[in-house]
Amino acid sequence: MSDSRGRVAVVGVGHSKVYRRSDVPLGTLTVDACRLAIEDAGLSAADIDGVVSPNYQPFEMGEPNRDGINLVTPAFIVEALGLEVNWGESVSAGSTGHCLIEAINAVAGGTCNYALVFRALYSPAGRRYGFVAPTTAEGPGEFRGSYGLFPPGMYALFMQKYMDKYGATREQMAAFASNNRQNALKWEHGYWYQHGGGPLTIEDYMTSRMISYPMCIFDCDIPVQGCGAFVVTTAERAKDLRQPPAYVLSTSAPVNARMGIAHSLEEFAAAGARLGSALLSNAGIGPGDVDVANLYDGFSILTPLWAEALGFCGEGEGFSFITAPTLALNTSSGNLGAGRMHGVPQIMDSVLQVTGRSGPRQVENAHIAVAVVLPLDAGKGLVFSKSPS
Amino acid sequence: MPKPVPAPSELTKPFWDAVDSRRLVIQRCQGCRRYHHPPVELCAKCLSSDLAFEPVSGRGSIYSFTITHDARQPAFAEIQPYTVAVVELEEQPGLYMLSNIPGVPTGDVKSGMPVEVTFEEVVPGRFIPQFQPSRRR
Ligand SMILES: [Zn+2]
């Protein structure tokens, strides 16, 4: 069990409006989300003395960085909100989960008292997201770029292998996607909630456009433009704030051995299991103690693999588990329901659940919630609790 | 529109030079005999910097595959749907390369299928390794 269990809490959350494609500057949406999170905590900008954000977008857009337009740096927010910060970090290749863990550690170590974490995602109007036309394959893509393997395909390889190995089916994934859409219609910060769309039937899934077989369009998250923000402080300071604290019982962010051309399914699963066992044992809990699990689903195959990695079901049982979960699964509706918010919904609804603030999604007696974000080889995990121990 | 052409670095040039003459070589640690692909600067298993490119059989099997229907680059959008397979070389477990399994209809590609190397000319004089169903019995 970790010594710092329950000593830090998330005390405020905020979310901008979400757009499918928009020219509203990302800086504007980020200021909206950050102000809402600070206000939610009952604080003012003058209280914030730490700020951290990832400084990259998940897909190449073939354009230079434009601060406030296609990404937002911590320095931009310091200027926009007039913050005086003692700690800040712009994390390359970071995720919402990674930055939240950095903030938790900065607060626990006393580098700052109230840390602001934000994640702003870019999806501009008038252009096809991530559509570029390179003439050379170089750098990390030197051995991959000539074969036309793109991010959906990298995960479709795992899904195909999983189906071959365990006899799982696309029909099972269809049932999960259909159930997840019901959650999406209750997530007010999500794409499907804000932009219409009704239920998703199994038939809708089975007859939808294929992206990278065996993955169809409903196995992939929709790119969106928007921002989510969080405020983190010590458990001691949290007592005096507006909202009940979501205590952090543990965090995990392993580094795994370098990947060659691709991970095997087995290596990928082992990386997730490494995170899962550290995350739960540092929290002093077992899989059976978890009431709510928000398991990353940037591509649908990740959710059953995370369920196995955290011990919610056995190896090869992930597809069965996600069709009939034994705990409240992906209450935020994840990336598949909210849009490509890169871990924001998973973490935000986990916080809301354990603080009894999840409204129409509220799980009765939700005491412990687990959020894991990103694929298993790059996973970041957090355990939140209603009480500090 | 041609597919992106590999741009070798100093480290990877021996691999691509061999491919351009239709030979498959893989970097191998001379200390612990482990193959590394992509090539590495230093063997993390035994810390040897004695790394050399050695010919391999070119034989392997399909570990997994996907069929791309929605490519995000024009060179590939033109030819979709197409297969992308992970091929495991017989020399070492987990020694993977990619291939489009040319000449095999997308629906006929299966995991476990034995394959052997061939070479595709992407632009004049520049090749990439590909794999096709094995002809040996
Ligand atoms: Zn070695």
Side-chain angles (χ1 to χ4, degrees):
Chain A
M1 204 184 300
S2 154
D3 285 348
S4 56
R5 187 173 178 269
R7 282 169 45 188
V8 176
V10 176
V11 292
V13 301
H15 209 299
S16 76
K17 211 167 162 331
V18 165
Y19 301 88
R20 172 70 181 88
R21 294 188 174 95
S22 174
D23 284 329
V24 178
L26 209 47
T28 304
L29 298 176
T30 303
V31 166
D32 286 349
C34 291
R35 282 197 172 130
L36 287 166
I38 295 166
E39 188 192 318
D40 187 47
L43 294 167
S44 71
D47 298 310
I48 301 298
D49 57 356
V51 58
V52 57
S53 179
N55 69 354
Y56 85 111
Q57 298 295 342
F59 283 84
E60 176 63 44
M61 297 294 286
E63 59 183 56
N65 288 344
R66 299 165 66 204
D67 200 358
I69 301 297
N70 60 13
L71 90 172
V72 182
T73 61
F76 181 97
I77 286 302
V78 163
E79 194 177 329
L81 298 183
L83 305 179
E84 300 268 348
V85 307
N86 189 48
W87 173 75
E89 217 175 313
S90 185
V91 181
S92 63
S95 66
T96 314
H98 189 141
C99 289
L100 204 63
I101 293 171
E102 297 277 308
I104 289 161
N105 291 334
V107 164
T111 319
C112 62
N113 294 324
Y114 299 99
L116 176 67
V117 180
F118 68 88
R119 180 60 169 131
L121 277 298
Y122 179 59
S123 182
R127 264 175 306 154
R128 192 164 171 210
Y129 190 89
F131 209 89
V132 291
T135 55
T136 57
E138 56 191 41
E142 181 180 341
F143 294 88
R144 286 192 281 264
S146 305
Y147 299 94
L149 181 63
F150 304 104
M154 291 160 62
Y155 298 93
L157 290 165
F158 291 129
M159 184 162 168
Q160 179 64 43
K161 188 68 188 179
Y162 191 98
M163 287 165 46
D164 282 341
K165 190 170 175 181
Y166 301 112
T169 65
R170 290 193 65 234
E171 283 77 2
Q172 290 176 298
M173 198 56 96
F176 166 67
S178 176
N179 293 341
N180 189 66
R181 178 63 63 82
Q182 293 301 321
N183 293 349
L185 299 177
K186 295 182 202 162
W187 177 247
E188 68 269 30
H189 304 301
Y191 169 78
W192 294 102
Y193 183 98
Q194 293 185 8
H195 300 275
L200 178 76
T201 67
I202 300 219
E203 196 195 347
D204 292 337
Y205 176 99
M206 294 304 293
T207 57
S208 68
R209 190 160 71 85
M210 200 54 76
I211 299 296
S212 199
Y213 179 87
M215 292 194 335
C216 67
I217 194 158
F218 295 117
D219 293 305
C220 306
D221 57 357
I222 319 162
V224 292
Q225 172 128 331
C227 180
F230 303 84
V231 176
V232 175
T233 192
T234 59
E236 198 53 39
R237 290 172 188 273
K239 286 179 192 158
D240 305 325
L241 299 181
R242 180 173 293 160
Q243 307 296 352
Y247 294 97
V248 178
L249 291 192
S250 69
T251 58
S252 180
V255 169
N256 296 290
R258 297 177 295 179
M259 180 177 77
I261 293 298
H263 279 310
S264 66
L265 176 63
E266 293 75 15
E267 286 171 314
F268 194 61
R274 197 167 293 132
L275 180 149
S277 63
L279 185 67
L280 297 187
S281 71
N282 281 340
I285 60 171
D289 298 318
V290 177
D291 303 304
V292 176
N294 279 296
L295 309 180
Y296 196 67
D297 63 344
F299 297 105
S300 61
I301 179 65
L302 298 172
T303 297
L305 294 177
W306 272 125
E308 294 180 15
L310 286 151
F312 297 138
C313 62
E315 180 188 333
E317 296 170 359
F319 276 50
S320 304
F321 176 82
I322 62 171
T323 61
T326 51
L327 46 66
L329 179 66
N330 292 11
T331 52
S332 72
S333 76
N335 282 36
L336 293 178
R340 186 172 295 149
M341 286 301 301
H342 244 215
V344 169
Q346 290 86 351
I347 294 170
M348 197 172 284
D349 199 49
S350 296
V351 166
L352 295 173
Q353 289 285 351
V354 299
T355 52
R357 299 205 286 144
S358 198
R361 303 175 303 278
Q362 186 63 49
V363 173
E364 227 179 297
N365 300 319
H367 197 96
I368 291 183
V370 168
V372 289
V373 306
L374 292 195
L376 283 77
D377 59 337
K380 317 294 167 195
L382 301 106
V383 177
F384 296 103
S385 172
K386 193 183 206 65
S387 58
S389 57
Chain B
M1 179 161 191
K3 296 172 182 176
V5 182
S9 65
E10 196 178 327
L11 175 67
T12 64
K13 192 171 181 299
F15 174 88
W16 293 113
D17 283 349
V19 165
D20 286 344
S21 57
R22 295 171 180 259
R23 289 184 303 117
L24 186 62
V25 299
I26 300 285
Q27 190 198 46
R28 191 172 195 186
C29 175
Q30 304 299 301
C32 67
R33 306 300 290 157
R34 190 177 173 80
Y35 289 98
H36 294 283
H37 187 70
V40 297
E41 299 281 358
L42 181 69
C43 179
K45 296 285 173 191
C46 75
L47 304 182
S48 172
S49 56
D50 188 5
L51 300 153
F53 288 83
E54 293 186 7
V56 289
S57 67
R59 291 190 295 267
S61 61
I62 294 179
Y63 176 77
S64 188
F65 66 94
T66 179
I67 304 165
T68 308
H69 292 258
D70 187 46
R72 54 180 71 249
Q73 293 177 5
F76 297 100
E78 281 169 12
I79 58 166
Q80 67 192 30
Y82 60 89
T83 301
V84 183
V86 174
V87 171
E88 184 173 33
L89 297 182
E90 69 176 19
E91 275 76 8
Q92 182 174 293
L95 185 59
Y96 294 138
M97 299 188 72
L98 296 183
S99 173
N100 302 113
I101 319 294
V104 179
T106 49
D108 293 349
V109 171
K110 299 280 179 261
S111 295
M113 194 180 258
V115 291
E116 62 189 21
V117 75
T118 178
F119 297 91
E120 177 189 348
E121 193 165 24
V122 185
V123 293
R126 293 299 314 281
F127 292 79
I128 58 172
Q130 290 282 14
F131 290 82
Q132 60 190 14
S134 183
R135 284 166 300 187
R136 91 204 132 106
R137 312 235 150 227

